[in-house]
Amino acid sequence: MIIRVNSDNDIIQFITIGGDKNAPDCYEVNDIPFDIMEDIFSYKYIDGQFVRKPDTDDKHVTEAKKIKRIFLNDTCASIIEGGITINDNDHYSLSYADQINLSKLVSQVTMYPEIPIFYHADGQLCRQYTPEEIINIGQIAEAWVIYHTTYCNYAKGYINSLHDFNTIRNFKYGDRLSEEFQTPLDAILATTQIIFHDVIVDPFDYDTILRPNKDYAISSLDGMPLV
């Protein structure tokens, strides 16, 4: 992995595939711990070490960030599992099990194209697929997962960079980010050839954070890996 930092050593971009480690302010880093990787934009990179930025937010902003990250994680996972539509009428769900199954089928048809492959779209009967069909479905599914996991990761980085409660509150899944995050994000998303224009509103009532004796539940998904 290659990370890029700004003049204050804040991590502002990460590249998992390709990239030029010799570019200005770029470093090649391997074996990043999962807890850092999930929240990488909250760190500086100084002398080969990840250093967490000090928390300068008040408790309301800190809590709003946590809840917004939960919303982004949950929405991303839901959209990915919701799947893809091919040829306008064939829909394929992409649960974790579906993704594994498709990956195995793609590997099989790549290595043994002469072996018949049977699969089915949601709500349809099982039928024989050509190797080209399976590979096409697998490629689109992979691009769909990459698109949303990458957007979610950069969106969480953007949220972590904010210090205004209302800006955090009003952010929706699908909104554009600040230029610092949007520019590298656009470059990655363009490689997927996925077009996604939906904007999904966060249903949480953030006013409850501001009220004393607040009573609300927080999802257990925050911090968990996405498929």
Side-chain angles (χ1 to χ4, degrees):
M1 171 180 288
I2 295 174
I3 61 173
R4 184 165 67 90
V5 301
N6 61 17
S7 58
D8 294 323
N9 294 313
D10 298 326
I11 297 173
I12 59 174
Q13 184 180 5
F14 72 93
I15 303 169
T16 56
I17 300 175
D20 182 5
K21 65 181 179 181
N22 297 315
D25 301 319
C26 287
Y27 302 89
E28 185 175 24
V29 183
N30 298 312
D31 301 323
I32 301 176
F34 175 76
D35 58 335
I36 294 177
M37 187 62 206
E38 271 291 280
D39 199 17
I40 197 166
F41 295 113
S42 293
Y43 288 82
K44 295 176 179 286
Y45 191 68
I46 304 173
D47 297 330
Q49 299 294 322
F50 290 96
V51 180
R52 191 170 184 87
K53 300 176 189 177
D55 189 356
T56 58
D57 297 324
D58 64 37
K59 64 179 182 179
H60 294 146
V61 169
T62 298
E63 200 158 1
K65 286 182 178 181
K66 180 176 182 179
I67 293 169
K68 186 63 70 172
R69 291 196 303 267
I70 292 169
F71 162 71
L72 292 169
N73 273 345
D74 289 351
T75 303
C76 177
S78 177
I79 290 173
I80 287 174
E81 292 179 5
I84 55 176
T85 299
I86 297 178
N87 300 327
D88 296 328
N89 53 14
D90 292 332
H91 187 269
Y92 299 89
S93 297
L94 289 176
S95 68
Y96 185 61
D98 292 326
Q99 293 176 50
I100 292 176
N101 193 25
L102 268 175
S103 178
K104 289 180 177 178
L105 291 177
V106 170
S107 296
Q108 180 176 327
V109 300
T110 301
M111 297 177 63
Y112 309 105
E114 71 281 2
I115 298 178
I117 292 292
F118 296 89
Y119 200 56
H120 66 89
D122 294 350
Q124 297 187 26
L125 296 175
C126 192
R127 68 172 177 85
Q128 184 172 347
Y129 281 68
T130 66
E132 292 76 17
E133 286 179 309
I134 290 296
I135 290 172
N136 182 53
I137 295 169
Q139 288 175 338
I140 295 174
E142 182 179 13
W144 184 250
V145 173
I146 290 172
Y147 183 102
H148 287 287
T149 53
T150 304
Y151 174 81
C152 182
N153 184 271
Y154 273 79
K156 288 189 292 184
Y158 168 63
I159 291 298
N160 286 344
S161 74
L162 299 175
H163 303 286
D164 178 71
F165 183 88
N166 285 326
T167 303
I168 297 167
R169 173 217 299 262
N170 294 326
F171 185 80
K172 301 176 290 294
Y173 189 98
D175 278 350
R176 290 185 66 80
L177 318 179
S178 65
E179 183 178 356
E180 182 179 46
F181 291 95
Q182 191 66 49
T183 298
L185 175 63
D186 283 342
I188 297 172
L189 297 188
T191 66
T192 69
Q193 299 183 329
I194 295 293
I195 297 175
F196 184 83
H197 293 308
D198 292 349
V199 175
I200 300 169
V201 176
D202 185 349
F204 183 78
D205 179 5
Y206 282 80
D207 285 338
T208 59
I209 296 175
L210 304 177
R211 292 195 292 264
N213 303 319
K214 53 186 175 291
D215 182 19
Y216 55 85
I218 296 179
S219 167
S220 62
L221 285 180
D222 190 33
M224 291 182 65
L226 296 171
V227 293

